[in-house]
């Protein structure tokens, strides 16, 4: 049995009129907003670094088995860029500023930018980066819990795609 009390409509209306400058962040937002914004900006940096690495690998992939890997690199690059847009949008909704500055991008990122010498190196580095994102995003989902369900769901959606990316890279690595 759910014991949660629902707020009466009049109270909801009154609260909605207070602090309207906070946009989507209402009085009942329970997460630590500065921490959530930091985590989002770190995830933004992670996605941008992954985009850049995948894009480089797309152009640098050569060899007999390169076409399959290159196609995956390009597809994943586009998805990483889309993730960064969604994260930046959420940062704005929470009243923060998305940090797109190239200064310190790799330091803010959880994943590293590793160029890779061979096709196998490139696939391996992308798999490692995906595994870092998976672990990091799972921790963020757990941290957010029910305090910020919108940001949690965003990370859950991105996490599902990162798991697919890791699976793709593992399959390609197996065939090399």
């Amino acid at each position: 049995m759910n014991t949660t009390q629902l707020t009466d409509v009049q109270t909801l209306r009154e609260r909605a009129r207070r602090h309207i400058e906070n946009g989507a962040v209402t009085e009942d937002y329970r997460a630590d907003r500065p921490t959530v914004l930091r985590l989002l900006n770190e995830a933004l940096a992670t996605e941008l670094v992954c985009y850049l690495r995948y894009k480089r690998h797309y152009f640098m992939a050569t060899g007999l088995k390169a076409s399959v890997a290159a196609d995956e690199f390009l597809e994943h690059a586009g998805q990483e860029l889309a993730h960064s847009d969604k994260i930046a949008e959420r940062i704005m909704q929470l009243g923060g500023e998305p940090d797109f500055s190239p200064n310190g991008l790799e330091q803010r990122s959880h994943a590293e930018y590793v160029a890779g010498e061979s096709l196998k190196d490139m696939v391996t580095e992308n798999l490692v980066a995906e595994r870092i994102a998976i672990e990091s995003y799972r921790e963020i989902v757990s941290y957010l819990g029910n305090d910020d369900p919108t940001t949690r769901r965003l990370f859950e959606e991105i996490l599902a795609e990162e798991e697919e990316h890791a699976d793709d890279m593992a399959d390609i690595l197996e065939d090399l």
Side-chain angles (χ1 to χ4, degrees), residues 145-166:
N146 291 323
D147 290 345
D148 184 341
T150 303
T151 303
R152 186 194 70 233
R153 278 193 310 276
L154 171 63
F155 275 105
E156 287 171 341
E157 290 169 13
I158 294 171
L159 174 59
E161 283 196 358
E162 302 299 3
E163 289 173 343
E164 287 178 29
H165 293 175

Side-chain angles (χ1 to χ4, degrees), residues 75-138:
E75 179 182 337
H76 292 186
Q79 291 167 338
E80 303 293 359
L81 196 57
H83 295 166
S84 70
D85 287 347
K86 290 177 184 178
I87 292 167
E89 182 178 333
R90 184 61 183 156
I91 291 168
M92 292 298 297
Q93 288 171 348
L94 292 175
E97 294 182 16
D99 188 351
F100 283 95
S101 173
N103 294 334
L105 183 64
E106 192 171 16
Q107 287 73 35
R108 292 190 310 275
S109 171
H110 294 184
E112 297 171 292
Y113 180 94
V114 180
E117 297 296 318
S118 67
L119 184 60
K120 185 173 183 176
D121 290 345
M122 292 178 209
V123 174
T124 298
E125 290 305 327
N126 286 315
L127 178 54
V128 167
E130 295 296 354
R131 291 170 53 86
I132 290 168
I134 289 166
E135 193 168 333
S136 173
Y137 295 173
R138 278 187 188 146

Side-chain angles (χ1 to χ4, degrees), residues 11-12 18 28 39 54-55 57 82 86 113 122 127-129 144 154 160 165 170:
T11 301
L12 287 173
R18 291 192 297 249
D28 68 339
L39 294 170
Y54 271 124
K55 199 69 168 188
H57 291 173
K86 290 177 184 178
Y113 180 94
M122 292 178 209
L127 178 54
V128 167
L144 291 169
L154 171 63
H165 293 175

Side-chain angles (χ1 to χ4, degrees), residues 1-16:
M1 182 171 154
N2 188 350
T3 60
T4 303
Q5 292 268 339
L6 297 176
T7 305
D8 66 276
V9 173
Q10 187 59 39
T11 301
L12 287 173
R13 290 175 180 166
E14 288 170 8
R15 276 196 229 153

